[in-house]
Amino acid sequence: MEKCTGAGIILYVDNRGIEEISNPDYDKDILYFFLEREDGQLDFPKGGIDEGEKSPLDCAVRETKEESNLKPLDYDLLDPENTFLECGEGLILFLGKLHMHSIKHAKVLRNEKTLEFEHKEDGCRYLTKKKAEKNLLDYLKIGLNWADKIIQN
């Protein structure tokens, strides 16, 4: 993690059980949270480390809140000391399980510095791995595969 330049969190919700998302458009499966860009590509909440941040995890939590309005109380991180992936050029990805009652908190926010949307304003998506793969940014596919392997075990 010495070369870390940015971080993010792969969030998922298990929609297969007793407590399910009430929207019938969502598959009864493991659903991953994505942000859709204007070009249709899918992204995880992530971004660059800010000056003064002490760890990649601090960056990941901040970026998740800034980009998706999801706060640490909305999800449980899976052992962040040991469960992370170095992905791409200096990107660290963590894994978190989103609380079912918190999915309604997700919304794309404007960048606080530029006041622009970095993703589609209505770009919060909950998709299965299979449905997301075709539109996921290529360098993040390794992260999705890593997360799915952990969740499925």
Side-chain angles (χ1 to χ4, degrees):
M1 288 203 284
E2 293 173 15
K3 297 179 184 178
C4 179
T5 58
I9 303 175
I10 298 173
L11 293 168
Y12 74 95
V13 62
D14 188 344
N15 199 39
R16 303 173 296 183
I18 297 169
E19 184 184 20
E20 296 176 340
I21 300 173
S22 58
N23 185 330
D25 294 333
Y26 290 119
D27 292 314
K28 304 283 187 233
D29 204 340
I30 298 292
L31 302 177
Y32 294 91
F33 175 73
F34 298 97
L35 298 170
E36 185 177 353
R37 298 181 348 172
E38 290 296 332
D39 64 3
Q41 292 285 293
L42 298 173
D43 200 355
F44 296 121
K46 62 173 181 30
I49 292 184
D50 280 354
E51 188 174 324
E53 281 183 318
K54 296 179 181 170
S55 72
L57 183 57
D58 291 341
C59 172
V61 169
R62 176 187 52 77
E63 285 288 345
T64 299
K65 181 180 176 287
E66 285 180 0
E67 292 190 351
S68 69
N69 195 48
L70 293 169
K71 299 164 187 68
L73 292 174
D74 292 319
Y75 54 87
D76 293 319
L77 287 170
L78 276 65
D79 188 17
E81 295 294 317
N82 298 304
T83 306
F84 61 88
L85 175 72
E86 295 182 42
C87 175
E89 298 287 324
L91 177 65
I92 303 293
L93 293 174
F94 296 92
L95 182 58
K97 185 174 183 179
L98 190 58
H99 301 291
M100 191 65 71
H101 65 273
S102 294
I103 63 167
K104 65 182 178 283
H105 298 164
K107 64 180 178 181
V108 175
L109 300 176
R110 291 180 189 271
N111 180 298
E112 292 177 0
K113 293 175 185 155
T114 66
L115 302 179
E116 300 288 327
F117 287 104
E118 296 177 26
H119 301 91
K120 282 186 177 179
E121 191 172 352
D122 64 345
C124 293
R125 304 285 180 262
Y126 294 94
L127 301 169
T128 63
K129 177 180 181 270
K130 186 174 182 175
K131 287 184 178 179
E133 286 176 320
K134 65 181 174 186
N135 291 327
L136 184 61
L137 293 166
D138 284 339
Y139 74 99
L140 296 176
K141 289 178 182 176
I142 190 171
L144 181 60
N145 289 331
W146 165 79
D148 199 61
K149 185 176 179 181
I150 291 170
I151 295 164
Q152 298 298 340
N153 285 336

